[in-house]
Amino acid sequence: MGHVCALQKQYGKTGAELEVLVEGFCWVLQGYAMDVILDALRQYVAVPGNSDIPAPSDIIAIIDPPEPPLSAAMYVSIRKKMVEGRVFVPPWEVEYVREFERRELAKVRGGSEALREAQKQVEQWKMLTYSTGGEA
């Protein structure tokens, strides 16, 4: 950690400040193997523009990157195809729907507002489609 601080812009902290910094990193990152932490530090320092000392959250984001966001509009589009039933829905689209629902349900019990809104759009589309004889 001292080497990382020496390479970064905010170096110049006193020995006591550096010790507190290292203790803080150890406390936050205690669930990760040291070689994984050191590799993430190396990756952080190697990125142009990362000239400050990283925060523990920067290191966690490298070790466990956040999941890429999924589109509610894409979810609605695929669900419409699934409801229609006459259209082939490739396995990756079925998995997209499952993953979107899994993530949204994980946010809050009963689903997030985004999931409820997407499901509402699908239900409205179904009502419109079936009340007009399939001319949505």
Side-chain angles (χ1 to χ4, degrees), residues 45-92:
V45 171
V47 172
N50 284 351
S51 58
D52 292 327
I53 296 173
S57 60
D58 295 323
I59 301 309
I60 291 172
I62 293 170
I63 296 170
D64 291 323
E67 296 176 310
L70 298 176
S71 164
M74 177 74 111
Y75 169 82
V76 170
S77 174
I78 296 169
R79 283 290 293 136
K80 285 179 181 179
K81 288 193 321 186
M82 292 170 81
V83 168
E84 207 170 72
R86 295 174 288 165
V87 179
F88 174 73
V89 180
W92 73 267

Side-chain angles (χ1 to χ4, degrees), residues 107-124:
K107 289 179 183 176
V108 291
R109 186 178 174 110
S112 69
E113 185 60 36
L115 177 60
R116 286 191 293 277
E117 180 59 32
Q119 289 174 331
K120 180 178 159 186
Q121 288 179 29
V122 171
E123 288 304 314
Q124 289 173 341

Side-chain angles (χ1 to χ4, degrees), residues 18 28 63 77 99 106 128:
L18 187 57
V28 172
I63 296 170
S77 174
E99 181 63 14
L128 180 64

